[in-house]
Amino acid sequence: MMQSVPADLLVIGGGVNGTGIARDAAGRGLKVVLAERGDLAGATSSAATKLIHGGLRYLEQYEFRLVREALGEREVLMRMAPHIIWPLRFVLPHHPGLRPAWMIRIGLFLYDHLSSRQTLPGSIGVNLIGDIRGKPLKPEFKRGFEYSDCWVDDARLVALNAMSARQLGARVLTRTAVTAAKREGELWRATLTDQVSGRTEEVLARGIVNAAGPWVRETLTGAFGANPKNSIRLIKGSHIVTQKLFEGEHCYIFQNADGRIIFAIPYERDFTLVGTTDVALDRLDAQPRISEEETEYLLAAASEYFRTPLTRDMIVWSYAGVRPLYDDGENNPSSITRDYVLDLDGKPGDKQAPLLSVYGGKLTTYRRLSEHAMEKIATFYPNMGKAWSGTKPLPGGDFGGLSFADYLTQVMQRYPQLDRAWLVRFLRRHGSNVHAILGDAKTMADMGEHFGGGLYAREVDWLMREEWAREADDVLWRRTKCGLWISAADRERLANWMAQHRSNGAAA
């Protein structure tokens, strides 16, 4: 007979919501198991526009609660992870034929004041004539506006939450699917199946959180045999990464004639990220990919503003993800709410083990969603600790009170012979964990085999051992973005190296 592993909470899904909930719950003293059937951030949570933002355009949809919550989270998250989250300034050129200037001013005023700002500067009007911010734009765009939001490395945000959860006692299992779950009074008996080896184990949990993202309904109907009462809308968002389109650290937000907006954001030093689209899907049968129509849409939308039109030969990479939005009945994909809904099945008076399903959500609000999820199930765990997640840094985020620049100076002083530009990128990925990875390295040769794009064996070993990386794509596109520079031959060399050095149970 299979021996059951006891747990207070089983979390299904290794995206930002699942790992955030696992971290929050473990930090409150619960015994947590997280099961992700693929890689961490293997779907939606690695395919975003990489922003921690309030959602300026959501004001037009009267999503004031969501915007206020998101705005309040920006500086909380910057304090938690200053290595992967930092401020950006967005330039919004005024397009006379679209939203009038007075409407934009009102929207930016609300954006500045719906929630408190401690460090982020407010919005201003800008004269684009003769300014670096206007240089790449067509000459008809003479004025505009500028406001603050933040950048985030989305997939690393997920990995860091999973690492934090493990440090707090959670068991994090990747490539492990929950294939069956049966409620037995105040407990859930769940079967977990390793997707690589086929081995199974049983978890006896006091509660389950279903944070499977686009597969939240399929998980309910498949593993649980339930008939979900809530629906989701699958909305594909695609992005293109181009050769660098402009100098400077600022970003652009462009209005389009269809009422949507797109962003153009400096990306990984050498490129520009342009996105996103909103395309409704009936189902998700395979890994989403950008379509020809979406590619043309993004090229045309950006070309409306840039002096130099964007062409296909400028594209170096593209990616697509599916947002699992709560179905609020809205027909326009761009107008569907980005807010989240937490559906609880089970009541303490009935002595039934709870099942909480998560619908929707955004990168920016994942921590607050996690807190609200714990509030939903708090009555089932009377000895659970209080909310805490915004008070502690994520792994690598403790700079001892120093700014990123000052901490970088310290790192460079300690490793004077390592390449300075490489160290900046390395610190952006790993923060204060750089010392654990670099160790006694004196030169770049001490980092081991170089796979291209600044990726060395010593880092790959860390990613496999500490961050659940198993396949080459886990490293190249989620734990890092070194895939932007690496050749097909080097990718194969990396895959072979990882296969030789892979150890079962790493980072488990």
Side-chain angles (χ1 to χ4, degrees), residues 179-247:
T179 49
K182 181 180 180 182
R183 186 185 264 135
E184 297 181 354
E186 296 183 3
L187 294 173
W188 282 101
R189 188 178 297 275
T191 302
L192 278 56
T193 303
D194 187 302
Q195 300 297 282
V196 178
S197 68
R199 291 193 297 266
T200 63
E201 67 173 280
E202 195 172 76
V203 172
L204 209 57
R206 293 171 57 197
I208 294 180
V209 172
N210 174 14
W215 298 277
V216 61
R217 282 178 56 87
E218 284 83 347
T219 299
L220 289 172
T221 57
F224 293 86
N227 184 22
K229 63 177 183 288
N230 293 311
S231 297
I232 60 171
R233 296 285 296 280
L234 300 176
I235 306 299
K236 184 174 66 164
S238 297
H239 298 75
I240 56 175
V241 176
T242 70
Q243 302 162 7
K244 182 186 282 192
L245 299 177
F246 55 90
E247 298 297 327

Side-chain angles (χ1 to χ4, degrees), residues 290-356:
I290 190 170
S291 67
E292 291 292 319
E293 293 77 12
E294 289 174 290
T295 300
E296 289 298 331
Y297 174 87
L298 293 174
L299 292 173
S303 297
E304 280 289 311
Y305 288 85
F306 286 119
R307 289 175 184 262
T308 302
L310 275 66
T311 57
R312 284 180 173 270
D313 59 0
M314 294 179 176
I315 300 173
V316 297
W317 183 47
S318 63
Y319 64 89
V322 174
R323 311 179 194 101
L325 304 181
Y326 178 73
D327 189 355
D328 60 0
E330 177 63 52
N331 291 324
N332 183 354
S334 298
S335 299
I336 300 171
T337 181
R338 266 53 176 178
D339 212 340
Y340 52 83
V341 171
L342 304 174
D343 179 40
L344 178 62
D345 177 19
K347 297 179 181 179
D350 297 337
K351 293 188 176 181
Q352 284 194 113
L355 169 62
L356 183 70

Side-chain angles (χ1 to χ4, degrees), residues 267-288:
Y267 190 63
E268 294 292 326
R269 188 187 61 198
D270 298 328
F271 310 99
T272 301
L273 175 66
V274 179
T276 179
T277 59
D278 279 316
V279 178
L281 299 180
D282 292 329
R283 63 180 64 87
L284 183 56
D285 296 326
Q287 181 70 26

Side-chain angles (χ1 to χ4, degrees), residues 60-383:
E60 292 182 322
Q61 299 159 19
Y62 307 109
E63 296 263 22
F64 297 116
R65 191 213 68 80
L66 174 63
V67 174
R68 181 183 295 108
E69 182 174 271
L71 290 173
E73 280 296 280
R74 294 180 305 183
E75 302 205 28
V76 175
L77 296 177
M78 276 196 296
R79 291 193 298 269
M80 289 170 54
H83 50 318
I84 63 165
I85 301 173
W86 59 87
L88 294 175
R89 292 292 279 177
F90 286 80
V91 176
L92 195 168
H94 179 240
H95 193 305
L98 300 177
R99 295 171 180 87
W102 63 264
M103 180 183 293
I104 296 174
R105 289 193 191 97
I106 291 173
L108 289 173
F109 178 84
L110 289 172
Y111 209 66
D112 285 342
H113 294 92
L114 271 175
S115 184
S116 61
R117 289 178 291 108
Q118 286 91 43
T119 61
L120 293 173
S123 60
I124 58 173
V126 293
N127 181 359
L128 298 174
I129 300 174
D131 188 281
I132 187 175
R133 294 165 293 188
K135 186 176 180 180
L137 303 178
K138 292 179 178 178
E140 56 261 39
F141 298 107
K142 297 179 172 59
R143 62 174 180 149
F145 305 88
E146 187 181 87
Y147 68 94
S148 294
D149 265 323
C150 299
W151 169 266
V152 65
D153 187 326
D154 51 4
R156 289 214 57 75
L157 180 65
V158 175
L160 296 184
N161 272 279
M163 292 172 71
S164 180
R166 182 184 58 201
Q167 290 170 0
L168 293 164
R171 186 169 173 233
V172 178
L173 304 173
T174 62
R175 292 173 168 86
T176 301
V178 176
T179 49
K182 181 180 180 182
R183 186 185 264 135
E184 297 181 354
E186 296 183 3
L187 294 173
W188 282 101
R189 188 178 297 275
T191 302
L192 278 56
T193 303
D194 187 302
Q195 300 297 282
V196 178
S197 68
R199 291 193 297 266
T200 63
E201 67 173 280
E202 195 172 76
V203 172
L204 209 57
R206 293 171 57 197
I208 294 180
V209 172
N210 174 14
W215 298 277
V216 61
R217 282 178 56 87
E218 284 83 347
T219 299
L220 289 172
T221 57
F224 293 86
N227 184 22
K229 63 177 183 288
N230 293 311
S231 297
I232 60 171
R233 296 285 296 280
L234 300 176
I235 306 299
K236 184 174 66 164
S238 297
H239 298 75
I240 56 175
V241 176
T242 70
Q243 302 162 7
K244 182 186 282 192
L245 299 177
F246 55 90
E247 298 297 327
E249 298 300 317
H250 59 279
C251 314
Y252 292 100
I253 174 172
F254 297 144
Q255 304 176 77
N256 302 319
D258 59 4
R260 297 196 67 258
I261 55 94
I262 65 165
F263 295 98
I265 305 170
Y267 190 63
E268 294 292 326
R269 188 187 61 198
D270 298 328
F271 310 99
T272 301
L273 175 66
V274 179
T276 179
T277 59
D278 279 316
V279 178
L281 299 180
D282 292 329
R283 63 180 64 87
L284 183 56
D285 296 326
Q287 181 70 26
R289 298 184 183 279
I290 190 170
S291 67
E292 291 292 319
E293 293 77 12
E294 289 174 290
T295 300
E296 289 298 331
Y297 174 87
L298 293 174
L299 292 173
S303 297
E304 280 289 311
Y305 288 85
F306 286 119
R307 289 175 184 262
T308 302
L310 275 66
T311 57
R312 284 180 173 270
D313 59 0
M314 294 179 176
I315 300 173
V316 297
W317 183 47
S318 63
Y319 64 89
V322 174
R323 311 179 194 101
L325 304 181
Y326 178 73
D327 189 355
D328 60 0
E330 177 63 52
N331 291 324
N332 183 354
S334 298
S335 299
I336 300 171
T337 181
R338 266 53 176 178
D339 212 340
Y340 52 83
V341 171
L342 304 174
D343 179 40
L344 178 62
D345 177 19
K347 297 179 181 179
D350 297 337
K351 293 188 176 181
Q352 284 194 113
L355 169 62
L356 183 70
S357 295
V358 179
Y359 294 83
K362 289 162 45 68
L363 283 173
T364 308
T365 55
Y366 89 90
R367 192 195 67 83
R368 290 291 290 139
L369 181 153
S370 300
E371 286 188 339
H372 289 152
M374 299 313 297
E375 291 170 7
K376 275 274 192 180
I377 60 176
T379 54
F380 295 91
Y381 302 97
N383 297 320

Side-chain angles (χ1 to χ4, degrees), residues 12-56:
I12 303 173
V16 72
N17 291 333
T19 56
I21 291 169
R23 174 182 185 254
D24 192 313
R28 295 175 191 248
L30 300 189
K31 186 175 183 179
V32 178
V33 175
L34 182 145
E36 162 56 47
R37 70 178 184 179
D39 182 33
L40 295 173
T44 306
S45 294
S46 61
T49 313
K50 326 297 183 189
L51 298 180
I52 297 294
H53 68 138
L56 182 60

